[in-house]
Amino acid sequence: MNESTPPPRLIGLDWGTTGLRAYLMGEGGRVLESRERPWGIRHLPAGGFDAALDGTLAGWPDLPVLASGMVGSRGGWREVPYVELPATIDAVVLALDVVDSASGRRVHLVPGLRNTTVADVMRGEETEIFGALALQPVLAGRSALLLPGTHSKWVNVLHGRVVDFATAMTGELYTVLRHHSILGAGLGKDDPPFDQDAFLRGVQSARDSGASGALSRLFSSRALVLTGELALPAVPDYLSGLLIGEELRGAIAAGRINTSTPLQLIGNPVLCRRYVVAASCFELGMALPPRGAAALGLWQIARAAGLIPHVESD
Amino acid sequence: MNESTPPPRLIGLDWGTTGLRAYLMGEGGRVLESRERPWGIRHLPAGGFDAALDGTLAGWPDLPVLASGMVGSRGGWREVPYVELPATIDAVVLALDVVDSASGRRVHLVPGLRNTTVADVMRGEETEIFGALALQPVLAGRSALLLPGTHSKWVNVLHGRVVDFATAMTGELYTVLRHHSILGAGLGKDDPPFDQDAFLRGVQSARDSGASGALSRLFSSRALVLTGELALPAVPDYLSGLLIGEELRGAIAAGRINTSTPLQLIGNPVLCRRYVVAASCFELGMALPPRGAAALGLWQIARAAGLIPHVESD
């Protein structure tokens, strides 16, 4: 870092099941350096959480550390109880917990959120949500957010609070069906390049399944191959389209979205683009994700918690 | 076999993906002896199909052999083209194929059925269906049949023909979610004894999901554990209830069943009992399965094909 680089103020960690992302941040949440390690809470190196932390932060200064995600879950470093809905950033700040590493770093842990209306939970997405609200303040009034992924989260925000959310296991369902069921028979381990036609065909099949739902059409991913109507390499994207299409169909049926309210996507841009393509079949509007929501969310929570000394501006 | 045992006339094989059942049959399709081997088409012994056949039939007389199931699929001994709907037993007979074993046995192979209205296929269930129609002739006029399993089949019969069917991957979905997803986390490999309360709770959740469908509630199998509302050992049957409930909810929404027409179950009695329990939540009538449908179906097809010499009575 040369003299024009602002001084680092915070170390933020996005610590999930399969990976760990670390951000060295300066004023305003600007990411000065980021590191990514494969040390998710189920893939820790020898030495466990301490070794993963020290190995990832090696050479970084002694700054406040704030971590979100599965690191605060039952199988994580320390279990942090969920914050119940409706949840503000202040409620999250009040529920922060800490764990001290063997090397003397104090790690603050962000709690997840719990929906008690229906049994549902999230860990890590709450931080991305607060980051997105900071990036696009217009969302804080009233908005519908979608964070696609292994466990997609459908979120409603009202006056800066998370007032409702629901999980769709779309990503995980794709993975288990693709790699452990008859639907992946004959396919190699790696997915072929994106086949948009096959994907849209799957989306349309889900949409047209109506109230009976696309689960009743899952076997078509195999039957179409057996009857020569779908090429084997097209199966992964057909299946992906069927499952994402079912996620959208179900969300519309549940009243979570409608064709007049655009949905704000948050997360991986490549995955989000699939959702935009799928949404076109339902005549739904979806806004592409802002960049840097996870890191900025950590900054916002740390600032609200008073973890960052000498903040000159925001 | 003593003198009072009728002479054997046919060897029937129900040869699927994971197992092989062999029946030595006498007049009227009476099963004189049955054998079960783990040699499904994906688990063949050294020596392949020939060795599996010879090992299973060792000591049985030289009789016509008729086999149904995945043995006639693309990955089977010989691929037999599907018969298209509407399908009579005579159409199935006309499409029989043969393969000769190295040891000199001629094996006749039953074709599967193909639904061209929607892309769907079956192999093996057609034989159980024709067996059930012989066991309960009243079903041949107009009936709705359900063959639950790895790939459940919902079947409509009219005037002795299979006129429609659809596959629900309920059993396979359960297996992959139970053993390869987060929903099975913390559970051992074996399922605990049937927990009817947990099962019914899952069925009710699927029923109450309405048009949005139970896929949107799949994650509740995990979330309810994390929030302390479901005991971990209850997860398998809750998940089973959720998936079977969704199968029923979707079938009702698709107009496949209604509360005034009882559904005839065919297949494994233990699994069928789960469906009867689930059906009670929907106020649906389901008739328990007749015994011996698979074997009798093989007999019926063999007889219609003229494979059985000197039939004195039926």
Side-chain angles (χ1 to χ4, degrees):
Chain A
M1 283 175 271
N2 59 38
E3 286 178 47
S4 70
T5 307
R9 297 284 190 188
L10 176 73
I11 293 171
L13 302 178
D14 177 1
W15 202 334
T17 302
T18 57
L20 165 59
R21 278 199 189 82
Y23 306 101
L24 185 66
M25 284 183 270
E27 285 311 328
R30 180 174 160 194
V31 175
L32 309 176
E33 188 185 342
S34 72
R35 295 175 178 175
E36 193 165 350
R37 299 288 181 271
W39 297 326
I41 69 163
R42 294 223 188 131
H43 304 88
L44 293 170
F49 289 100
D50 285 294
L53 186 79
D54 294 343
T56 304
L57 306 191
W60 281 3
D62 184 22
L63 289 168
V65 180
L66 180 66
S68 68
M70 294 300 280
V71 66
S73 70
R74 195 164 298 175
W77 205 343
R78 180 185 179 87
E79 185 175 5
V80 188
Y82 296 103
V83 170
E84 292 188 5
L85 300 191
T88 59
I89 193 167
D90 291 337
V92 165
V93 164
L94 280 172
L96 289 178
D97 206 341
V98 294
V99 64
D100 293 318
S101 79
S103 59
R105 289 203 194 250
R106 169 156 288 193
V107 180
H108 299 263
L109 298 170
V110 178
L113 304 187
R114 174 180 172 184
N115 186 352
T116 53
T117 310
V118 294
D120 213 333
V121 295
M122 65 165 66
R123 276 198 196 273
E125 293 92 349
E126 73 295 323
T127 302
E128 291 181 79
I129 292 166
F130 290 121
L133 299 187
L135 282 166
Q136 302 190 10
V138 68
L139 296 173
R142 178 194 292 270
S143 58
L145 313 176
L146 169 55
L147 297 83
T150 304
H151 297 166
S152 290
K153 302 293 179 185
W154 292 77
V155 181
N156 290 109
V157 170
L158 188 63
H159 305 320
R161 299 158 189 257
V162 176
V163 292
D164 190 24
F165 72 86
T167 301
M169 287 182 65
T170 309
E172 184 160 14
L173 201 55
Y174 173 81
T175 300
V176 296
L177 288 169
R178 165 74 175 80
H179 294 289
H180 299 286
S181 86
I182 187 73
L183 302 185
L187 289 165
K189 198 182 164 194
D190 297 326
D191 283 348
F194 182 50
D195 179 340
Q196 183 160 314
D197 288 345
F199 178 78
L200 281 171
R201 197 168 158 193
V203 173
Q204 285 155 7
S205 181
R207 180 195 63 195
D208 298 344
S209 70
S212 55
L215 218 49
S216 64
R217 299 193 174 196
L218 208 47
F219 189 62
S220 67
S221 310
R222 180 71 184 163
L224 286 167
V225 172
L226 293 173
T227 59
E229 295 166 80
L230 186 72
L232 186 60
V235 166
D237 283 320
Y238 176 84
L239 176 62
S240 169
L242 196 68
L243 295 176
I244 289 176
E246 172 64 8
E247 185 180 348
L248 298 183
R249 188 204 65 75
I252 293 168
R256 295 207 159 268
I257 38 175
N258 54 61
T259 51
S260 63
T261 310
L263 198 67
Q264 177 63 53
L265 289 161
I266 300 173
N268 179 301
V270 174
L271 181 57
C272 284
R273 194 159 283 285
R274 277 184 188 245
Y275 278 76
V276 170
V277 171
S280 69
C281 287
F282 292 88
E283 296 179 7
L284 278 177
M286 285 198 188
L288 283 168
R291 296 182 63 169
L296 188 61
L298 287 161
W299 176 266
Q300 293 294 116
I301 293 169
R303 198 184 59 168
L307 292 178
I308 306 169
H310 310 303
V311 177
E312 287 146 26
S313 71
D314 60 355
Chain B
M1 279 176 275
N2 58 37
E3 286 178 46
S4 70
T5 306
R9 297 284 191 187
L10 175 73
I11 293 171
L13 303 178
D14 177 1
W15 202 336
T17 302
T18 56
L20 165 59
R21 277 199 189 81
Y23 306 100
L24 184 67
M25 283 183 272
E27 285 312 327
R30 179 174 163 194
V31 175
L32 309 176
E33 187 185 345
S34 71
R35 295 174 179 177
E36 193 165 352
R37 300 289 181 269
W39 298 326
I41 69 164
R42 295 223 186 129
H43 305 88
L44 293 171
F49 288 100
D50 286 293
L53 187 79
D54 294 343
T56 305
L57 307 191
W60 281 4
D62 184 24
L63 288 168
V65 180
L66 180 65
S68 68
M70 294 300 281
V71 66
S73 71
R74 194 165 300 175
W77 204 345
R78 181 185 179 89
E79 185 176 4
V80 188
Y82 297 104
V83 170
E84 293 189 4
L85 300 191
T88 59
I89 194 168
D90 291 336
V92 165
V93 164
L94 280 172
L96 289 178
D97 205 342
V98 295
V99 64
D100 292 319
S101 79
S103 59
R105 287 203 194 250
R106 170 156 286 193
V107 180
H108 299 263
L109 298 170
V110 178
L113 305 187
R114 174 179 172 184
N115 186 352
T116 54
T117 310
V118 295
D120 213 331
V121 294
M122 67 165 64
R123 275 198 196 275
E125 292 91 349
E126 73 294 324
T127 301
E128 291 180 81
I129 292 166
F130 291 121
L133 298 187
L135 281 166
Q136 300 190 9
V138 68
L139 296 173
R142 178 194 292 269
S143 59
L145 314 175
L146 169 55
L147 296 83
T150 305
H151 297 168
S152 289
K153 304 291 179 185
W154 291 77
V155 181
N156 289 109
V157 169
L158 188 64
H159 303 321
R161 299 158 189 258
V162 177
V163 293
D164 189 25
F165 72 87
T167 301
M169 287 181 64
T170 309
E172 184 160 15
L173 201 55
Y174 173 81
T175 300
V176 296
L177 288 169
R178 165 73 174 82
H179 294 288
H180 298 286
S181 86
I182 187 72
L183 303 185
L187 290 166
K189 199 182 164 193
D190 296 325
D191 283 347
F194 182 49
D195 179 342
Q196 182 160 314
D197 288 345
F199 178 78
L200 281 171
R201 198 168 158 191
V203 173
Q204 285 156 6
S205 181
R207 181 195 64 196
D208 297 344
S209 70
S212 54
L215 217 50
S216 65
R217 300 194 175 196
L218 208 46
F219 188 62
S220 68
S221 309
R222 179 71 183 162
L224 286 166
V225 173
L226 293 174
T227 59
E229 294 165 82
L230 186 72
L232 187 60
V235 166
D237 284 320
Y238 176 83
L239 176 62
S240 170
L242 195 68
L243 295 175
I244 289 176
E246 172 63 9
E247 185 180 349
L248 298 183
R249 188 204 65 75
I252 293 168
R256 295 204 160 271
I257 38 174
N258 55 60
T259 50
S260 64
T261 310
L263 198 67
Q264 177 62 53
L265 289 161
I266 301 173
N268 178 300
V270 175
L271 181 57
C272 285
R273 195 159 282 283
R274 277 185 187 245
Y275 277 77
V276 170
V277 171
S280 69
C281 287
F282 292 88
E283 296 178 8
L284 278 176
M286 285 197 188
L288 283 169
R291 296 182 66 169
L296 189 61
L298 286 161
W299 176 266
Q300 294 292 116
I301 293 169
R303 198 184 59 167
L307 293 179
I308 306 168
H310 310 303
V311 178
E312 288 146 26
S313 73
D314 59 355

